[in-house]
Amino acid sequence: MLKSTLEQWRMFKAVVDAGGFNQASLVVHKSQSSVHHAVQKLENAIGVVLFENSGRKVKLSPQGEVMYRRATFLLDEAQKLESIAYSLRSGTETTLRVAVDIIFPSHLLYNVLNKVSEEFPLLRVELEETVLSGSNTLLSSGNVDIGISPFLYPSGFSEDLCEIEFAAVAHKDHPLHQLNRTLTLEDLKSHRQIVVRDSSAERKVDAGWLGAEQRWTVSHIRTSVDIIAQGLGFAWLPIAIIKNELESGLLKPLPLNNNAALRKALLYLSFEDGDALGPAARAFIGELRYQTMQLPTSDFMDWDLSLIHISEPTRRTPIS
């Protein structure tokens, strides 16, 4: 059986934090004698002297310093325990599971998650980074609550979220740039293309132009960017992700005819059943909608060979 109580430890911590018994009594809204009595009972119960005599000042004993650190942890955990009980009582989920296609702007995602975490500080977030049909596969298997995917979710709810702009790019010294003329897709066939593999284990999907005779397939878009930045191939990459490389001139858009260098992909926000979503999931969806609606719609930047958007994804009006 425990010899001490949380209330006694709270009084002890208040005395240390406030700098004295009188000051602590004002913080905890109790009389000085009540605070002093609680601490005295605590010392008697545990058999440890917590404070040293130092005139009018309160000074922790060496043992008291150890106990203060442990008491702080104990009281923090007790507060968390009560907060979790409140969340469970009010129906708030403890974990939010989200699958997001890797072409979605990461800084925007982090902003959304941070806002939701501020509102639900005890919420655990499990983030799955996916490619192509990966988000929908995780959603259909029940492994995530919300998915962001370039494909409509066939068995649940989907709404337009935003458009992602892609550009065909290569290193500034890549042989394709040395041709010094407008390129055709035929010109690309004899050069190495870097593509990202569908992360779904069930249904592999190909997207975009895949006509190169030699292809390197990778599992993450940052790997593709690294390879291309070393001059080892070309690829269609999300402009928002390679903005710095484009602005520095390290990567250059391929001067393809008929605007073939540019591509757009629509991303969808999907979930199984809106009624089954908890408050945190609803907050995530609301913040995601809001932030994508704030994205700039146009921001042009001049390059040597073409004008291509260097902007965040184009806003699309969500389905109500």
Side-chain angles (χ1 to χ4, degrees), residues 1-295:
M1 179 178 290
L2 294 175
K3 297 179 179 179
S4 59
T5 67
L6 281 176
E7 182 66 8
Q8 290 170 347
W9 288 112
R10 187 171 78 92
M11 295 299 105
F12 164 62
K13 185 176 185 301
V15 172
V16 178
D17 292 344
F21 287 92
N22 187 48
Q23 299 93 317
S25 67
L26 299 175
V27 174
V28 299
H29 305 292
K30 291 181 179 292
S31 66
Q32 180 181 356
S33 60
S34 296
V35 175
H36 194 278
H37 181 66
V39 173
Q40 191 175 50
K41 283 190 67 175
L42 177 62
E43 288 181 319
N44 293 335
I46 63 176
V48 173
V49 176
L50 299 173
F51 295 104
E52 292 180 343
N53 292 324
S54 181
R56 292 185 176 182
K57 291 185 178 181
V58 171
K59 182 180 179 182
L60 282 170
S61 66
Q63 299 93 332
E65 291 179 358
V66 175
M67 300 308 289
Y68 174 76
R69 291 195 298 270
R70 302 299 298 181
T72 299
F73 175 79
L74 173 66
L75 292 168
D76 285 344
E77 289 300 305
Q79 174 113 30
K80 291 177 183 177
L81 189 62
E82 290 188 355
S83 297
I84 291 172
Y86 173 79
S87 295
L88 293 173
R89 186 171 69 250
S90 61
T92 301
E93 63 271 45
T94 58
T95 303
L96 176 63
R97 305 169 303 164
V98 183
V100 181
D101 195 282
I102 58 175
I103 66 175
F104 187 77
S106 58
H107 75 278
L108 190 150
L109 174 65
Y110 303 153
N111 287 340
V112 173
L113 290 174
N114 186 52
K115 288 286 187 180
V116 175
S117 293
E118 288 176 354
E119 185 176 352
F120 301 93
L122 296 178
L123 181 71
R124 290 187 177 184
V125 176
E126 295 181 1
L127 184 64
E128 295 277 358
E129 295 178 288
T130 60
V131 181
L132 295 173
S133 62
S135 288
N136 283 352
T137 298
L138 290 172
L139 197 57
S140 64
S141 64
N143 289 320
V144 296
D145 308 304
I146 298 169
I148 298 176
S149 169
F151 300 107
L152 283 166
Y153 185 55
S155 61
F157 174 85
S158 290
E159 68 175 46
D160 294 5
L161 186 61
C162 61
E163 273 186 342
I164 304 296
E165 295 176 332
F166 290 76
V169 297
H171 187 275
K172 59 185 178 64
D173 297 325
H174 191 278
L176 284 168
H177 287 304
Q178 309 310 312
L179 296 177
N180 294 319
R181 60 173 173 80
T182 301
L183 304 177
T184 67
L185 294 177
E186 286 295 319
D187 292 318
L188 304 186
K189 288 184 177 180
S190 58
H191 294 270
R192 183 184 301 123
Q193 182 180 6
I194 312 301
V195 297
V196 182
R197 178 187 297 109
D198 191 327
S199 62
S200 172
E202 298 177 1
R203 184 172 65 94
K204 298 293 185 181
V205 175
D206 291 329
W209 186 83
L210 298 171
E213 295 176 1
Q214 183 181 156
R215 293 205 303 267
W216 286 4
T217 302
V218 299
S219 58
H220 200 283
I221 206 159
R222 288 312 315 181
T223 307
S224 178
V225 174
D226 290 343
I227 292 172
I228 293 165
Q230 295 183 46
L232 301 176
F234 73 90
W236 272 266
L237 293 173
I239 294 174
I241 289 179
I242 57 171
K243 183 177 180 180
N244 291 337
E245 288 84 356
L246 291 171
E247 290 179 340
S248 70
L250 178 65
L251 301 183
K252 292 174 60 178
L254 296 174
L256 287 164
N257 60 1
N258 301 320
N259 287 326
L262 288 177
R263 229 173 66 206
K264 291 185 178 182
L266 178 61
L267 286 179
Y268 299 94
L269 167 66
S270 303
F271 45 84
E272 277 284 0
D273 182 1
D275 292 336
L277 297 175
R282 292 176 180 273
F284 174 85
I285 291 172
E287 186 64 31
L288 186 68
R289 287 169 173 162
Y290 173 77
Q291 296 221 20
T292 53
M293 290 178 70
Q294 307 309 308
L295 292 173

